[in-house]
Amino acid sequence: MDRRRIEENIFKGLMIVSTIALCLILVLIVAAITFKGLPSMRLSMITQTPKGGFYLGKEGGILNAILGSIYLAGGATILALFLALPVVLYLNLYARRNGSIVRLVRFCLDVLWGIPSIVYGAFGFTIMLFFGLRASLLGGIITVALLILPIMCRAMDEVFSMVPRGLLEASYAVGATRWETALKVVVRQGLPGMITAVLIAFGRGIGDAASVIFTAGFSDAVPNSLFRPAATLPLAIFFQLGTPFPQVQNRAYASAFILTMIILFISITTRIVSRKYTRHIIK
Amino acid sequence: MNIRVYKDKITARLMGVIAFLSCLILVLIIAGLYYRSRPVLELKPFLELLTSGSWHPLRQEFGFYPFIMGSLWVTGVAIIMAIPLCLLTSIYLSEYAPGYLREWIKPLIDLLAGIPSVIYGVWGVLVIVPLIKDTIAPRVGSFSSGYCVLSGGVVLGIMICPIIIHVSLEVFRAVPRELREASLSLGATRWQTIKQVVLRKARPGIMAAIVLGLSRAFGETMAVLMVVGNVPRAPGSLLDAAYPLPALIANNYGEMLSVPLYDSALMLACFILLLVVLLFNIVARIVLIRIERQM
């Protein structure tokens, strides 16, 4: 065998090894969290809020954090959707194709996408100081909405730019305005993609800790108002892991297991939804 | 005027305004953080703050040197680890792997991207930290608590792989098919074609992908915070503890309003982080847009 083939085979081998390694890491992460978290799972973890002395190893659960995270990520996703949908419709229907405005907005969104969540957290905190807001569910929702806005826009932009040009022209040809085309053709055609985008953004929102550390605060109660501080799952994991008590640390692993399962559930649902509904779309 | 046309005109305006506002967020973030960090900048010149090593908030001494070094060390380790792994994987996926395999592996990498950073942190604490403490440190004849630059770098290196692979795959896809075919028809092997044609053509794009990964690593907070040790001293080796900028910000948010100028100093840390990340992102995006236009 000549040297070229040997070199090729060596590198091909390395490539396969690194690809397998990456997939294996995913399995390892999920496995490690599961093995460590599952033994400490109790039903009370997901049905109770922390009782007194929870962080010293006493009774209770993390219902406050689970609900807090869902409220926070849910609110942020809805808020971000109301901002992202007009932006993406504007980019794909109203503005001139590939005009300088479109390019500028896309560029800004790409750059915003790269800004770390801790910076969003600090910015959210600055806004809250400006308006005199305390750390609260509302502050967290606004901050996380800003964080997931570029993620949602990019995902939906990709979907809407795939809508066939002919479909739009057919709609214009029968006399529909751009607004009617947007609502009745583009949104309907892009619905599965939109659901995917919303789920991706929700998953990102529920898992992010650095942006809510300043803005949402932490509380042992389930938030009952937008102006109350709210606990979040990632922060609950972080705080429990930070205590010196093995029993509480074990609960942190159990909480991490819960969060991982939520994320996996969202990811898999995303996949199923996008596969199931793309069938009803005009290609 | 017809009410339908009227509705169309209003929505067009409204959507244009919202699109413009979303761009404005970027400007607002920069302005807001600069405004909040001005008190510290007025106290001392920017360069002195960057190069001073003394961090004593109570004495109003804010030297960012240890934290910047911490960030650089951790990011460096992460990127050195991620580059070979990502390049090999993305070359394999784009040039060698059969279609069905690619369709299987891509969702797995997406899944890796979707895992929250706090989970990476927990995993680091569970697996990487004990590994370094019990196996790697004794083997090189030194002691480490396991909470060190190396564990931070390893965890980060894995976290940034999905984004680098994702962008690299796009870049490889932008390399024209004809180039590969021309090379193959001259009798080059597949690997020679990759090495001398595809990689050469894709080099700027791959650099951009790496820079995007770099900026992600630079700003990542939670996972690093949990495994890196958080000692405010510039690290001297891979097994020393470090204290990167994002960890500094996240760790001290509690007391920052009770010490004068402390909050301003932390916001300055955020501002530095933002400037670095913006620079990286803008450069990388411009390169990627050029490539996209060539397609």
Side-chain angles (χ1 to χ4, degrees):
Chain A
M1 214 157 61
D2 69 314
R3 269 189 54 204
R4 301 194 309 175
R5 295 251 169 265
I6 296 176
E7 191 187 319
E8 168 140 22
N9 284 334
I10 290 175
F11 273 95
K12 203 172 163 188
L14 281 177
M15 288 174 199
I16 294 175
V17 167
S18 78
T19 309
I20 293 174
L22 261 180
C23 299
L24 213 62
I25 285 172
L26 177 70
V27 177
L28 278 179
I29 292 175
V30 176
I33 302 278
T34 309
F35 276 123
K36 199 73 188 170
L38 213 48
S40 320
M41 266 305 281
R42 301 276 179 281
L43 192 63
S44 64
M45 284 290 288
I46 51 173
T47 56
Q48 288 180 20
T49 55
K51 301 283 179 290
F54 177 70
Y55 293 96
L56 303 168
K58 297 265 176 59
E59 283 296 296
I62 51 159
L63 183 69
N64 62 329
I66 297 174
L67 284 183
S69 266
I70 290 174
Y71 290 166
L72 192 106
T77 309
I78 292 168
L79 185 57
L81 182 65
F82 276 111
L83 288 173
L85 197 56
V87 173
V88 177
L89 286 178
Y90 180 78
L91 289 181
N92 287 297
L93 277 179
Y94 289 84
R96 197 149 44 84
R97 287 220 153 190
N98 283 323
S100 54
I101 298 174
V102 171
R103 271 185 290 174
L104 179 73
V105 174
R106 285 211 173 108
F107 186 77
C108 282
L109 287 174
D110 278 345
V111 173
L112 278 174
W113 181 84
I115 292 180
S117 63
I118 185 91
V119 173
Y120 280 104
F123 176 63
F125 183 68
T126 309
I127 300 179
M128 284 162 56
L129 281 183
F130 187 76
F131 288 109
L133 269 174
R134 289 267 206 79
S136 59
L137 187 56
L138 181 66
I141 286 177
I142 293 172
T143 311
V144 174
L146 290 179
L147 172 77
I148 59 181
L149 177 67
I151 299 167
M152 210 187 248
C153 281
R154 274 171 56 114
M156 291 204 316
D157 193 22
E158 226 157 84
V159 177
F160 283 2
S161 62
M162 298 293 246
V163 173
R165 196 97 189 97
L167 210 57
L168 301 182
E169 277 156 9
S171 169
Y172 294 143
V174 293
T177 63
R178 288 175 299 183
W179 173 239
E180 287 159 352
T181 310
L183 271 194
K184 292 171 187 163
V185 178
V186 178
V187 169
R188 188 169 289 186
Q189 173 82 359
L191 198 61
M194 274 171 63
I195 297 173
T196 314
V198 165
L199 283 174
I200 290 174
F202 182 75
R204 181 59 63 90
I206 214 167
D208 196 75
S211 63
V212 294
I213 204 166
F214 294 101
T215 50
F218 201 83
S219 147
D220 278 351
V222 177
N224 52 7
S225 141
L226 275 177
F227 299 99
R228 290 280 178 81
T232 43
L233 206 40
L235 282 184
I237 296 169
F238 179 62
F239 290 146
Q240 290 178 81
L241 203 59
T243 60
F245 311 106
Q247 203 187 341
V248 185
Q249 287 179 354
N250 281 337
R251 276 200 210 132
Y253 301 134
S255 316
F257 174 71
I258 296 171
L259 180 57
T260 311
M261 287 304 122
I262 294 177
I263 294 291
L264 287 183
F265 176 73
I266 293 173
S267 301
I268 292 166
T269 317
T270 311
R271 238 146 243 283
I272 293 172
V273 166
S274 68
R275 203 163 280 175
K276 192 167 175 194
Y277 286 96
T278 28
R279 275 195 247 134
H280 307 301
I281 276 185
I282 304 161
K283 287 259 164 67
Chain B
M1 206 157 51
N2 188 336
I3 191 153
R4 289 172 52 224
V5 178
Y6 204 58
K7 222 195 255 172
D8 187 59
K9 289 248 156 77
I10 293 178
T11 50
R13 266 302 144 72
L14 205 66
M15 287 182 183
V17 169
I18 294 177
F20 174 72
L21 283 181
S22 67
C23 287
L24 206 65
I25 294 174
L26 191 58
V27 181
L28 278 179
I29 292 178
I30 299 172
L33 289 184
Y34 175 71
Y35 171 74
R36 297 282 303 164
S37 54
R38 244 191 22 213
V40 156
L41 286 172
E42 273 164 11
L43 189 73
K44 268 181 194 149
F46 188 51
L47 270 182
E48 202 186 313
L49 286 170
L50 287 189
T51 53
S52 152
S54 83
W55 179 261
H56 300 289
L58 288 174
R59 279 188 270 150
Q60 306 211 332
E61 286 173 15
F62 302 105
F64 286 109
Y65 181 72
F67 307 105
I68 292 171
M69 287 316 282
S71 271
L72 290 181
W73 271 83
V74 175
T75 311
V77 174
I79 207 78
I80 288 169
M81 220 194 80
I83 287 176
L85 203 59
C86 293
L87 272 187
L88 287 169
T89 304
S90 47
I91 294 174
Y92 180 71
L93 287 182
S94 88
E95 307 292 321
Y96 286 101
Y100 69 91
L101 200 60
R102 205 177 315 154
E103 293 316 305
W104 260 101
I105 292 177
K106 265 189 182 168
L108 287 184
I109 290 173
D110 283 347
L111 219 55
L112 207 56
I115 293 181
S117 64
V118 86
I119 299 293
Y120 279 102
V122 171
W123 181 70
V125 171
L126 276 178
V127 178
I128 304 291
V129 168
L131 184 74
I132 287 172
K133 184 184 170 196
D134 300 331
T135 313
I136 294 177
R139 195 158 292 174
V140 296
S142 75
F143 171 78
S144 169
S145 63
Y147 294 91
C148 61
V149 172
L150 187 59
S151 25
V154 170
V155 172
L156 263 187
I158 294 165
M159 286 185 75
I160 61 176
C161 277
I163 163 165
I164 300 184
I165 291 176
H166 191 83
V167 179
S168 306
L169 283 180
E170 302 263 295
V171 170
F172 282 128
R173 220 179 50 191
V175 176
R177 234 188 125 65
E178 294 79 23
L179 280 183
R180 292 191 184 96
E181 280 163 2
S183 164
L184 289 172
S185 69
L186 288 175
T189 63
R190 237 163 158 184
W191 173 243
Q192 279 179 317
T193 305
I194 292 166
K195 211 167 49 171
Q196 279 154 14
V197 180
V198 179
L199 277 182
R200 189 166 296 181
K201 182 83 180 147
R203 198 176 328 163
I206 289 175
M207 293 306 268
I210 292 171
V211 168
L212 281 183
L214 204 68
S215 80
R216 185 40 61 99
F218 202 74
E220 178 48 52
T221 311
M222 240 30 207
V224 183
L225 170 68
M226 292 166 81
V227 297
V228 87
N230 301 333
V231 176
R233 193 169 351 108
S237 85
L238 286 180
L239 295 175
D240 281 352
Y243 207 161
L245 279 173
L248 169 76
I249 302 161
N251 241 353
N252 293 299
Y253 74 100
E255 60 245 46
M256 73 180 185
L257 284 176
S258 48
V259 180
L261 284 179
Y262 200 2
D263 62 323
S264 178
L266 290 184
M267 290 301 159
L268 180 62
C270 254
F271 188 59
I272 297 171
L273 202 66
L274 176 68
L275 287 186
V276 174
V277 169
L278 274 184
L279 179 75
F280 282 179
N281 266 277
I282 289 174
V283 171
R285 287 295 166 191
I286 288 174
V287 172
L288 289 176
I289 286 172
R290 286 237 174 100
I291 292 170
E292 202 177 311
R293 217 174 289 163
Q294 279 169 11
M295 263 176 96

